[in-house]
Amino acid sequence: MKRRILPLILASITIFSCTNSEKSKNTITVKYPETKKQPVIEDYFGTKITDNYRWLEDDRSEETEAWVSAENKVTFDYLNKIPYKSALKDRLTELWNYEKVGTPFKEGDFTYYYKNNGLQNQYVLYRKNKDGKEEVFLDPNSFAKDGTTSLGGISFTKDGKTVAYSISEGGSDWRKVIIMDALTKEIKEDTIVDVKFSGITWRGNEGFYYSSYDKPAGSELSAKTDQHKLYFHKLGTPQSSDEVIFGAVPEEKHRYVGGSLTEDDKYLIISASTSTSGNKLYIQDLTKDNSKLSPIIANFDSDSYVIDSRGSTLFIVTNLNAPNKKIVTVDAANPTPENWKDFIPETENVLSPSTGGGYFFAEYMVDAVSKVLQYDFDGKLIREVKLPGVGSAGGFGGKTDAKELYFSFTNYNTPSSSYLFNPTDGTYSLYWKPTISYDADNYESKQVFYTSKDGTKIPMIITHKKGIELNGKNPTILYGYGGFNISLTPSFSIANAVWMEQGGIYAVPNLRGGGEYGKKWHDAGTKMQKQNVFDDFIAAGEYLIANNYTSSDYLAIRGGSNGGLLVGATMTQRPDLMKVALPAVGVLDMLRYHTFTAGAGWAYDYGTAEQSEEMFSYLKGYSPVHNVKSSIEYPATMITTGDHDDRVVPAHSFKFAAELQEKQTGNNPVLIRIETNAGHGAGTPIAKTIEQYADIYGFTLFNMGFTKLPNEL
């Protein structure tokens, strides 16, 4: 793209920061670029909506590039003047610099695992042979000089001799798939391109299934994609000859399509959906020539998938008539729901199962904390796996004949460790524990239940240093998500550890819209009930203030993606509640979100402005871009996004920043930090991540009035 810097009129604002004892010690003058207005007027059910910043949706234009450059200059000029930014970066770098090892998995004659020696931009995939000799298998740090090409999914043939792995460039959701001889590490054939939202499933050694869209007209980073197709790539043939298995004809048009095989390679299972909730399910018997796909579930009324099989018996995980999920069995010849039989029935807690070593492992969320029960394939309860503590467990998956399995365990103040598990007797031993200059014994987590606006009890975990004084002056980050059936369970974060070292509090409520209490909890935060999510988050802030953990002068709210919407809606509805707002990669224009990339698939949670006048009015009532008002003092705000984000396109953040900068009253700054050559977050290089957190924490503390870092006062 040819670079052209547009002449920009600058509006000036001076920011004062002080503590109670040191008035006006720090000042930073901000000159915002004055973003031009080019009104576009649309009619929604007789209501005319003016969009002054529609031009910022064109991510390929020279004007948008110039705007991004000008905004970043203002932002980084501000951030680089914060006196302790470098100290935060140094401490983040120091604490981040420890060896991290992922949970191992076995393929063929090797044990594979991801490892980072401390500050590598991307995790490296290692392997050990039967003799314990270690070697590097794939090093994504060698893919690009700036570390912005990351390793996505990876899939081995059953014998472990061939591998296909996907890569992402610049944080994009579009992937390339590379096929390699796993023994010699030699590339086998041409790269498969233009793959998106896809797994890789091998069928023997013949080839593999993958999913993608046709490349859209216009910008591949923002143009709409809504017809997903499942392909089969046969080794040794060009991609142009790949067979479309599902999704090519109008009656098979869906936004998300995925294919998988049962472990015995007998059945192909296809899932098809039009939104992020609810899917059809199909099966094909691959042992029979010319067998046809037949439906298991022919509607979108449930979320269901095949987790395993034995002979002709399928084991299906479903929330059909079971909001907290259950496992059922059915014969593959007659797989429809009327023939299902309960295998592991629904309980009062949400089920997330896995299989390995000839067993089922039923992980339950009990108030967002893990509990694991082990069952055999007759449905008999074998044991409860006593976990190392109170927190989040993951893993227990593996092949049917595996003699040992692995699982991980973590919580908000304990770095993740891996354990080697014997599925026969239920014993386990520590496999790997990090060596880190952080003492978990100095910190504590407490779960509380507070009351939301409509009387609903909401759980929240609050983590901080032991012995802090509840005086209302503790810098606090309230983090939330509240959507898409996603559950926020306890996990360790290096960045959070640095925040808590500074005396900071980190609080995470489990808002409605999430999956912590099953489908009913999710649905209670969708469409015309989305306001429940914002009310839950506001009530969390009010609880922290009422109980003297913090006060409005020391409260920051933070969230990303759907959580960015949460922050945007909360700060526009209750700007008095917090001092700092940190919306990241947010869905912020609720009238147009569904017109970009795969955004229309989010309609289950949000609804769309076109579906009805009532839905339009509801969305307009909380859409952050449309609810910024003049003569309101909004909190100090730093919006963060990536210029290659093709999940939630950066235009959301661009337009929100333009509205806030134009209408902000008072001295609180409104900045937008736009990471270049970066996407929605996955695969972001460690160096960029450290820089981001140093900026976020520096901005937050500075605007809370700290002239020095809290642990220096």
Side-chain angles (χ1 to χ4, degrees):
M1 180 187 295
K2 182 180 177 182
R3 296 188 62 85
R4 179 169 63 91
I5 303 302
L6 299 178
L8 295 161
I9 302 171
L10 298 177
S12 178
I13 185 170
T14 300
I15 309 304
F16 297 93
S17 181
C18 59
T19 63
N20 290 334
S21 59
E22 296 178 85
K23 299 291 185 182
S24 304
K25 188 167 184 177
N26 285 347
T27 62
I28 296 179
T29 298
V30 178
K31 293 184 177 180
Y32 298 131
E34 185 172 306
T35 309
K36 71 175 181 179
K37 294 181 179 180
Q38 291 183 339
V40 176
I41 300 174
E42 288 186 319
D43 188 296
Y44 294 86
F45 304 97
T47 298
K48 289 182 169 53
I49 300 295
T50 300
D51 187 346
N52 286 317
Y53 305 113
R54 180 75 58 88
W55 64 273
L56 285 169
E57 293 179 4
D58 186 353
D59 55 86
R60 300 188 303 173
S61 77
E62 294 179 351
E63 289 181 307
T64 299
E65 184 185 13
W67 185 88
V68 166
S69 179
E71 288 285 350
N72 266 346
K73 184 179 187 310
V74 169
T75 295
F76 288 107
D77 282 351
Y78 180 102
L79 294 171
N80 290 335
K81 291 173 184 174
I82 294 174
Y84 38 77
K85 173 186 169 178
S86 60
L88 285 168
K89 181 181 176 182
D90 289 346
R91 180 53 181 153
L92 282 160
T93 302
E94 180 184 16
L95 193 56
W96 222 293
N97 192 15
Y98 70 94
E99 186 180 69
K100 307 163 195 71
V101 179
T103 305
F105 56 97
K106 291 189 176 181
E107 300 289 350
D109 294 331
F110 296 91
T111 298
Y112 291 83
Y113 48 93
Y114 291 92
K115 184 167 71 172
N116 191 305
N117 64 17
L119 296 174
Q120 289 172 290
N121 278 321
Q122 305 290 343
Y123 276 69
V124 178
L125 182 58
Y126 287 80
R127 68 180 179 186
K128 288 181 180 177
N129 62 17
K130 291 181 178 180
D131 297 327
K133 182 182 177 181
E134 181 183 71
E135 67 172 338
V136 172
F137 183 65
L138 283 173
D139 182 3
N141 298 290
S142 66
F143 294 171
K145 290 182 179 180
D146 62 358
T148 59
T149 298
S150 60
L151 180 63
I154 186 164
S155 179
F156 290 82
T157 54
K158 192 167 293 186
D159 59 13
K161 294 181 179 179
T162 308
V163 62
Y165 63 91
S166 63
I167 62 171
S168 167
E169 296 168 318
S172 172
D173 281 332
W174 291 100
R175 303 284 194 263
K176 295 178 179 177
V177 176
I178 298 165
I179 302 134
M180 189 170 76
D181 185 313
L183 303 183
T184 65
K185 293 187 280 187
E186 294 179 357
I187 304 300
K188 296 195 71 166
E189 57 178 74
D190 291 342
T191 297
I192 306 298
V193 298
D194 298 339
V195 177
K196 190 172 185 181
F197 296 154
S198 178
I200 302 170
T201 300
W202 284 94
R203 180 177 175 180
N205 294 309
E206 180 184 354
F208 57 83
Y209 299 92
Y210 68 93
S211 303
S212 196
Y213 306 91
D214 294 335
K215 261 301 181 63
S219 171
E220 68 178 54
L221 294 176
S222 58
K224 191 172 183 177
T225 49
D226 64 355
Q227 185 164 358
H228 217 198
K229 300 175 185 178
L230 180 68
Y231 294 86
F232 181 76
H233 175 70
K234 185 176 181 180
L235 291 188
T237 65
Q239 184 179 2
S240 59
S241 65
D242 288 354
E243 180 186 2
V244 180
I245 304 299
F246 185 90
V249 296
E251 58 269 25
E252 293 177 352
K253 182 179 178 180
H254 297 82
R255 291 193 183 95
Y256 310 108
V257 172
S260 62
L261 292 178
T262 52
E263 190 175 339
D264 58 10
D265 283 355
K266 187 174 182 180
Y267 300 107
L268 170 65
I269 308 296
I270 295 178
S271 174
S273 58
T274 57
S275 74
T276 51
S277 186
N279 68 292
K280 296 177 183 177
L281 204 59
Y282 299 89
I283 187 170
Q284 182 180 13
D285 188 343
L286 298 179
T287 66
K288 298 178 180 178
D289 292 337
N290 301 315
S291 65
K292 302 295 184 182
L293 278 174
S294 59
I296 299 175
I297 301 173
N299 56 53
F300 303 115
D301 295 342
S302 68
D303 299 284
S304 304
Y305 63 93
V306 175
I307 188 173
D308 213 327
S309 66
R310 285 292 184 274
S312 65
T313 300
L314 304 176
F315 295 84
I316 299 174
V317 181
T318 184
N319 61 8
L320 182 64
N321 301 318
N324 292 337
K325 295 185 184 177
K326 62 181 179 180
I327 302 179
V328 299
T329 58
V330 71
D331 191 278
N334 296 287
T336 51
E338 64 268 18
N339 301 310
W340 292 0
K341 295 180 181 178
D342 282 4
F343 177 70
I344 298 179
E346 181 190 24
T347 72
E348 63 181 355
N349 299 308
V350 179
L351 171 66
S352 300
S354 59
T355 61
Y359 295 95
F360 283 87
F361 294 89
E363 181 197 343
Y364 291 97
M365 277 187 292
V366 183
D367 295 329
V369 173
S370 293
K371 176 181 180 179
V372 179
L373 302 180
Q374 181 179 352
Y375 292 85
D376 65 17
F377 269 75
D378 293 322
K380 177 185 176 183
L381 176 63
I382 303 301
R383 63 178 61 88
E384 178 180 350
V385 179
K386 298 296 183 181
L387 298 174
V390 177
S392 303
F396 295 102
K399 295 179 174 61
T400 299
D401 59 359
K403 302 302 181 186
E404 33 185 46
L405 305 172
Y406 298 89
F407 73 92
S408 61
F409 180 82
T410 183
N411 55 36
Y412 285 120
N413 55 14
T414 305
S416 182
S417 296
S418 299
Y419 296 83
L420 181 63
F421 179 81
N422 184 324
T424 303
D425 61 18
T427 60
Y428 62 82
S429 58
L430 182 67
Y431 178 81
W432 178 83
K433 180 180 181 180
T435 301
I436 180 174
S437 58
Y438 167 85
D439 189 352
D441 291 337
N442 292 335
Y443 299 84
E444 61 183 347
S445 288
K446 176 184 179 182
Q447 187 174 56
V448 301
F449 289 81
Y450 65 90
T451 304
S452 190
K453 183 177 181 179
D454 65 356
T456 302
K457 293 292 185 181
I458 311 294
M460 175 165 59
I461 296 180
I462 306 170
T463 308
H464 51 72
K465 276 184 179 179
K466 291 179 179 177
I468 67 165
E469 184 181 354
L470 299 184
N471 58 8
K473 296 182 179 180
N474 299 299
T476 298
I477 290 178
L478 178 64
Y479 180 87
Y481 189 78
F484 295 91
N485 202 38
I486 300 296
S487 302
L488 296 187
T489 57
S491 63
F492 180 77
S493 159
I494 300 166
N496 291 343
V498 171
W499 176 256
M500 292 187 295
E501 277 185 342
Q502 294 298 328
I505 292 173
Y506 186 69
V508 182
N510 297 110
L511 313 172
R512 280 174 286 186
E516 292 87 352
Y517 295 102
K519 187 169 178 58
K520 291 180 180 178
W521 193 255
H522 173 208
D523 287 347
T526 61
K527 296 187 180 73
M528 304 292 286
Q529 300 187 89
K530 188 65 180 176
Q531 184 61 40
N532 286 337
V533 185
F534 313 140
D535 289 342
D536 292 353
F537 200 52
I538 289 167
E542 291 174 337
Y543 176 92
L544 293 168
I545 292 168
N547 288 274
N548 287 324
Y549 285 96
T550 192
S551 62
S552 292
D553 286 338
Y554 296 96
L555 178 63
I557 59 172
R558 185 163 186 256
S561 196
N562 175 74
L565 164 61
L566 172 70
V567 172
T570 301
M571 66 177 283
T572 50
Q573 292 182 16
R574 284 291 307 276
D576 61 305
L577 182 64
M578 75 296 299
K579 183 62 179 176
V580 178
L582 302 164
V585 293
V587 187
L588 298 162
D589 184 341
M590 299 310 296
L591 302 186
R592 286 183 55 75
Y593 77 87
H594 59 292
T595 65
F596 305 112
T597 61
W602 311 335
Y604 182 93
D605 266 56
Y606 298 146
T608 69
E610 281 88 4
Q611 73 183 62
S612 70
E613 184 175 2
E614 185 182 28
M615 194 71 248
F616 155 70
S617 296
Y618 194 86
L619 288 166
K620 180 179 176 292
Y622 74 77
S623 176
V625 165
H626 299 92
N627 282 278
V628 180
K629 298 177 174 63
S630 300
S631 303
I632 298 290
E633 184 171 16
Y634 291 101
T637 303
M638 187 163 73
I639 302 162
T640 52
T641 189
D643 69 344
H644 277 61
D645 189 346
D646 49 5
R647 186 85 54 85
V648 180
V649 296
H652 286 277
S653 295
F654 296 172
K655 292 162 79 171
F656 191 49
E659 291 283 351
L660 282 168
Q661 287 180 353
E662 180 200 359
K663 297 175 181 176
Q664 172 72 307
T665 298
N667 288 322
N668 291 330
V670 174
L671 305 178
I672 180 167
R673 186 187 189 282
I674 305 156
E675 192 71 67
T676 56
N677 208 22
H680 199 58
T684 301
I686 294 300
K688 284 181 180 283
T689 301
I690 289 173
E691 287 276 2
Q692 289 169 5
Y693 276 108
D695 288 340
I696 289 167
Y697 290 163
F699 178 85
T700 299
L701 292 169
F702 189 80
N703 282 284
M704 288 177 176
F706 290 95
T707 56
K708 297 180 179 179
L709 287 175
N711 65 5
E712 295 177 358
L713 296 175

